[in-house]
Amino acid sequence: MDKNIELEESFLGSVEAGKSLPTDTLPEEPMDADIAEQLVQHYRLNEAKANQNLATFCTTQMEPQADRLMTDALNTNAIDKSEYPKTAAMESYCVSMIAHLWHVGEGKKMYKDFIGTSTVGSSEGCMLGGLALLMSWKNRAKAAGFDIEDLHVHKPNLVIMSGYQVVWEKFCTYWNVDMRQVPIDQNHMSLDTDHVMDYVDDNTIGIIGIQGITYTGAVDDIEKLDQLVTEYNKTATLPVRIHVDAAFGGLFAPFVDGFKPWDFRLKNVVSINVSGHKYGMVYPGIGWVVWRENTTDVLPKEMRFEVAYLGDKVDSIAINFSHSGAHITGQYYNFIRFGLTGYKAIMNNVRKVSLKLTDELKKFGIFEILNDGSQLPINCWKLKDGLDQNWDLYDLEDALAKYGWQVPAYPLPKDRDDVIISRIVVRPSMTMTIADDFIDDLKLAINNLNKAKLVHSDPETVKMTDTVASH
Ligand SMILES: *Cc1c(COP(=O)(O)O)cnc(C)c1O
């Protein structure tokens, strides 16, 4: 074959490969589809390696069967329930399966007894859960004779521990709700149940319980919170309610032992959200929110928009409108593919890996473990106080990055932000082999740090370096 033609047919020999990518304005002319594909694919090559990203909660690996189903469903629109009734049906099946994992009550039925919806992620789920609390509070406050237009007297507030995910700040800002933050301290690294009720009054639209604090992986004691709320409600003008933000715990806790009740078993919990793209094991773009009762008291009618569905009408509850049904399809696939036993096997492996990481981290002798993986599979640690050491966790982050691992270091939330921590999110795709590989590189990284900082060190530090190196 003619050499030049062969080169011309190769992407690397194409005119486009020799030019910079269009960035600011639309290119004037079209290009060959295969060349365009290769250009974009090439451009993405240097993005993060999924398996070494220990920072994210989000799914980066699904089965090829799920990939195929989702690709097939990309051209559907989840909001159009009459055009895509099977997608709508799969959505309600998923809501029902999740509601039952959260103990909504045996034999209870979607739409008849409880209600929920898919969302784009937990952020939309939190937003909808928060809005339902707000609108329900407004309705009840009006009925109780409050002048809710008078914001000096009746500005609504939301009570939450200070290590909340940023969506709650957005919620409070967008809807003009006061955020009452319950601070953390040395003895209260999750919701401080000794003081939380001090923040509650007639203007409280709800209290958020977090089943999995994003920063550390700790869980709020929602069972205790529920007892406090029951006590408070006995004499309250406006009974207060709980929404649980279970973005990552919501599809982990149901499958493993060791958690106190945190879900609809607690009677003041009115709604719960979860991210399907975290431990639901679907690619980013899906979340879920469920209300324990399908009543307008819990989910006010202002939030419900009737849409046609199979010759009938159902309520649509959403902030977003059009989006693909691919993620619903992927979630339904995972549920029927793994089943209860499959999810249990996967999540127990995740826990095993997280506990193993804790064992290995302890062996270094320099880390204080803040979350050990015995509840949610987040490994979180700080450097022990009083170490004679010339590097910190930011240095460790950089040192690990050289081996390709992403392990972020950052300060704890307000009031304890003098403490710097590192965090690993153990996801299902982190098998024991990958954990072993990580530990090997962690040893090298720490060794390198100790050596690099030796120049100014005294003999004591040198000894410690040897100790660390021997692990
Ligand atoms: C991740 C997270 C969120 C936001 O979830 P998205 O699915 O990314 O929108 C909200 N709350 C908590 C506790 C989280 O961990």
Side-chain angles (χ1 to χ4, degrees):
M1 208 202 271
D2 184 313
K3 233 185 175 168
N4 281 333
I5 291 178
E6 203 177 66
L7 195 61
E8 226 167 68
E9 282 177 350
S10 149
F11 163 68
L12 297 177
S14 67
V15 177
E16 287 81 1
K19 288 206 275 187
S20 297
L21 272 181
T23 53
D24 296 337
T25 56
L26 207 61
E28 200 58 42
E29 300 295 333
M31 69 171 86
D32 180 82
D34 291 330
I35 297 274
E37 182 188 11
Q38 297 219 48
L39 263 180
V40 177
Q41 200 174 43
H42 232 73
Y43 185 58
R44 290 184 58 234
L45 274 183
N46 293 339
E47 282 187 317
K49 275 196 248 146
N51 267 340
Q52 288 193 300
N53 183 355
L54 310 188
T56 184
F57 284 90
C58 286
T59 303
T60 51
Q61 184 182 332
M62 291 181 76
E63 295 184 310
Q65 290 83 350
D67 286 357
R68 285 199 293 272
L69 277 171
M70 289 181 71
T71 307
D72 249 15
L74 269 177
N75 63 356
T76 61
N77 186 354
I79 202 75
D80 197 342
K81 293 185 200 291
S82 54
E83 189 174 358
Y84 301 105
K86 304 303 177 204
T87 304
M90 285 190 286
E91 179 184 14
S92 63
Y93 302 156
C94 288
V95 172
S96 180
M97 290 175 186
I98 291 168
H100 284 286
L101 282 175
W102 295 342
H103 303 95
V104 77
E106 236 168 276
K108 294 217 167 149
K109 297 273 188 220
M110 168 70 169
Y111 290 124
K112 181 171 161 278
D113 302 304
F114 59 89
I115 190 163
T117 180
S118 71
T119 58
V120 170
S122 272
S123 297
E124 192 189 2
C126 294
M127 208 57 91
L128 290 168
L131 269 176
L133 291 177
L134 175 62
M135 292 190 174
S136 170
W137 174 83
K138 283 187 176 173
N139 292 341
R140 292 182 295 132
K142 264 190 265 178
F146 291 13
D147 176 9
I148 62 167
E149 302 304 324
D150 185 355
L151 289 182
H152 291 295
V153 185
H154 288 302
K155 177 144 187 223
N157 68 72
L158 182 80
V159 176
I160 191 167
M161 65 83 73
S162 61
Y164 54 80
Q165 210 267 358
V166 64
V167 64
W168 292 109
E169 204 167 319
K170 291 185 191 170
F171 169 79
C172 289
T173 307
Y174 294 171
W175 309 106
N176 199 21
V177 170
D178 264 346
M179 182 185 252
R180 293 198 178 160
Q181 297 179 39
V182 186
I184 54 168
D185 60 39
Q186 188 102 29
N187 302 318
H188 301 96
M189 289 298 289
S190 55
L191 183 71
D192 178 351
T193 48
D194 294 330
H195 296 107
V196 58
M197 297 315 285
D198 301 347
Y199 294 78
V200 176
D201 61 22
D202 282 344
N203 297 334
T204 301
I205 63 168
I207 306 173
I208 306 301
I210 311 179
Q211 180 68 358
I213 294 162
T214 321
Y215 284 87
T216 58
V219 291
D220 284 345
D221 187 346
I222 301 169
E223 185 181 38
K224 175 83 199 201
L225 175 65
D226 184 66
Q227 290 163 5
L228 296 171
V229 166
T230 298
E231 212 40 51
Y232 174 89
N233 285 350
K234 282 182 184 162
T235 54
T237 314
L238 289 185
V240 74
R241 298 171 171 185
I242 301 170
H243 170 89
V244 177
D245 178 359
F248 65 93
L251 282 171
F252 182 85
F255 304 117
V256 295
D257 295 332
F259 291 96
K260 292 171 128 191
W262 59 275
D263 53 17
F264 294 127
R265 282 167 287 182
L266 308 175
K267 68 176 193 303
N268 298 297
V269 171
V270 290
S271 47
I272 306 174
N273 69 271
V274 69
S275 302
H277 50 227
K278 292 183 177 174
Y279 289 90
M281 299 174 63
V282 183
Y283 297 129
I286 190 157
W288 302 91
V289 57
V290 180
W291 288 268
R292 74 180 305 143
E293 286 168 9
N294 187 5
T295 60
T296 50
D297 171 41
V298 167
L299 180 64
K301 49 176 190 311
E302 303 90 298
M303 285 182 66
R304 300 164 181 253
F305 295 86
E306 281 193 339
V307 295
Y309 176 49
L310 299 181
D312 202 355
K313 296 249 196 279
V314 292
D315 287 331
S316 155
I317 311 129
I319 292 175
N320 280 279
F321 197 68
S322 303
H323 61 105
S324 166
H327 293 80
I328 291 170
T329 310
Q331 185 79 78
Y332 186 66
Y333 166 82
N334 277 356
F335 282 163
I336 64 165
R337 150 85 174 120
F338 301 129
L340 200 52
T341 307
Y343 266 96
K344 279 184 181 171
I346 293 167
M347 298 311 162
N348 277 295
N349 272 346
V350 168
R351 170 167 282 178
K352 233 166 105 182
V353 168
S354 186
L355 290 171
K356 171 75 181 307
L357 286 175
T358 294
D359 282 349
E360 294 294 333
L361 285 164
K362 279 185 183 161
K363 286 187 196 164
F364 288 97
I366 54 173
F367 299 128
E368 181 181 328
I369 307 297
L370 298 181
N371 203 67
D372 64 3
S374 62
Q375 293 229 300
L376 291 173
I378 311 300
N379 289 84
C380 178
W381 67 89
K382 66 188 267 296
L383 283 170
K384 281 186 178 165
D385 293 331
L387 287 179
D388 184 14
Q389 188 160 285
N390 293 324
W391 53 267
D392 61 18
L393 293 179
Y394 293 112
D395 296 321
L396 183 60
E397 176 177 350
D398 288 343
L400 282 168
K402 294 199 181 109
Y403 296 93
W405 303 100
Q406 292 183 51
V407 179
Y410 50 85
L412 280 174
K414 212 171 71 186
D415 301 315
R416 290 214 67 197
D417 50 3
D418 53 318
V419 180
I420 307 301
I421 57 171
S422 292
R423 185 196 71 187
I424 288 178
V425 178
V426 181
R427 294 180 288 129
S429 55
M430 189 174 192
T431 55
M432 198 60 92
T433 305
I434 291 176
D436 291 342
D437 205 25
F438 168 73
I439 291 296
D440 286 345
D441 286 343
L442 179 62
K443 286 173 190 167
L444 294 173
I446 290 178
N447 243 342
N448 293 344
L449 281 172
N450 285 334
K451 270 195 232 142
K453 308 282 178 175
L454 265 188
V455 196
H456 305 294
S457 303
D458 58 27
E460 276 307 301
T461 322
V462 178
K463 249 193 264 154
M464 205 192 72
T465 308
D466 291 343
T467 322
V468 172
S470 68
H471 283 291

